[in-house]
Amino acid sequence: MARRIGILGGTFNPVHIGHLRGALEVAEFMALDELRLIPSARPPHREAPQATAEQRLAMVELAVAGEPRLAVDDRELKRDKPSFTYDTLESVRGELAADDQLFLLLGWDAFCGLPTWHRWQELLVHCHILVLQRPDADSEPPEALRDLLAARSVTDPQGLLGPSGQISFIWQTPLAVSATLVRQLLAQGRSVRFLVPDAVLAYIHAHDLYRAKTDS
Ligand code: ATP
């Protein structure tokens, strides 16, 4: 029987409840066999993160431990070249059966940035795209995505057919949390309890991450 695999890439700097709760709800709603969180090594569009790749990976591993629907995939950290999403999808797809369904989860902000991505128009060769809302984001997609949406979007995400090729918008509990917010709070010496899992919080404190550095 065809499997249903989801992937959520990101810097996870650090992983937070917006990622985790969204991923879990999508995994349940879409009846995925597995949803893999894929930390990026050298994100092509972002400034270098403050935690190391190994630390970001360790936090994602702690976050999903004991949750059978979620898994961690470290393939982007094993590469020595930039981790383009297209390459990751091609690599994951190469390990699946031809009729397995692959779903790429993108937050709305990431989806809106799609036209700047390497080979973005070919992503749908390998996967379907599920767009997650972000409560703090604009509501209009960029002009460059209009034709793609007109040609490929499907109203009901549960109606996505075949291994790849379509786009749907998916509802999940809106959580206006970002890694930027988590880092800002920590830099101000404030608590991020309940914005990240307790195990991640303990790791952040144990490794003294994201604190504003003082000269004293
Ligand atoms: P930063 O604040 O550092 O930009 P981030 O919180 O957006 O980070 P990323 O690791 O860049 O986190 O996000 C990975 C993916 O998860 C992206 O597709 C992003 O849109 C999505 N995402 C992140 N936070 C949320 C959230 N609160 N709700 C829905 N999707 C989210």
Side-chain angles (χ1 to χ4, degrees):
M1 209 177 112
R3 289 195 302 155
R4 293 161 68 81
I5 306 293
I7 64 180
L8 175 64
T11 41
F12 302 114
N13 183 30
V15 64
H16 54 70
I17 59 163
H19 302 125
L20 296 163
R21 184 67 209 170
L24 180 60
E25 290 187 12
V26 171
E28 275 193 324
F29 182 72
M30 295 296 293
L32 300 183
D33 295 296
E34 188 174 83
L35 200 161
R36 303 180 190 167
L37 279 67
I38 308 190
S40 53
R42 286 192 286 163
H45 307 115
R46 313 290 284 264
E47 288 178 13
Q50 300 157 41
T52 66
E54 291 69 27
Q55 288 170 331
R56 292 184 291 110
L57 173 65
M59 289 188 278
V60 179
E61 283 173 341
L62 287 168
V64 305
E67 175 42 68
R69 294 174 192 81
L70 304 182
V72 186
D73 183 325
D74 66 355
R75 77 185 61 216
E76 293 195 0
L77 302 183
K78 290 181 175 155
R79 289 192 195 152
D80 54 3
K81 56 178 187 165
S83 39
F84 292 117
T85 299
Y86 179 86
D87 299 332
T88 302
L89 284 171
E90 195 175 43
S91 153
V92 172
R93 174 50 79 189
E95 295 167 4
L96 301 179
D99 60 346
D100 285 345
Q101 291 188 293
L102 184 58
F103 300 92
L104 174 67
L105 277 66
L106 293 177
W108 171 255
D109 57 315
F111 178 68
C112 289
L114 210 61
T116 64
W117 290 19
H118 177 66
R119 302 181 75 170
W120 69 278
Q121 280 158 316
E122 296 162 79
L123 298 177
L124 289 171
V125 170
H126 296 303
C127 66
H128 294 298
I129 292 179
L130 290 173
V131 184
L132 281 67
Q133 68 202 309
R134 286 195 76 165
D136 42 358
D138 296 341
S139 53
E140 283 299 309
E143 190 66 38
L145 286 173
R146 298 255 164 85
D147 289 349
L148 185 74
L149 281 170
R152 303 297 192 101
S153 67
V154 172
T155 311
D156 177 9
Q158 289 175 321
L160 293 171
L161 297 173
S164 62
Q166 296 173 315
I167 301 172
S168 199
F169 291 79
I170 193 159
W171 190 92
Q172 87 285 358
T173 305
L175 291 166
V177 181
S178 66
T180 303
L181 172 71
V182 172
R183 292 193 304 272
Q184 282 171 350
L185 291 172
L186 288 164
Q188 294 163 12
R190 293 168 63 188
S191 174
V192 296
R193 185 137 195 238
F194 309 129
L195 294 179
V196 301
D198 283 347
V200 172
L201 184 64
Y203 187 96
I204 287 171
H205 289 320
H207 293 81
D208 202 19
L209 297 177
Y210 309 117
R211 277 215 325 201
K213 302 290 177 217
T214 53
D215 294 334
S216 57

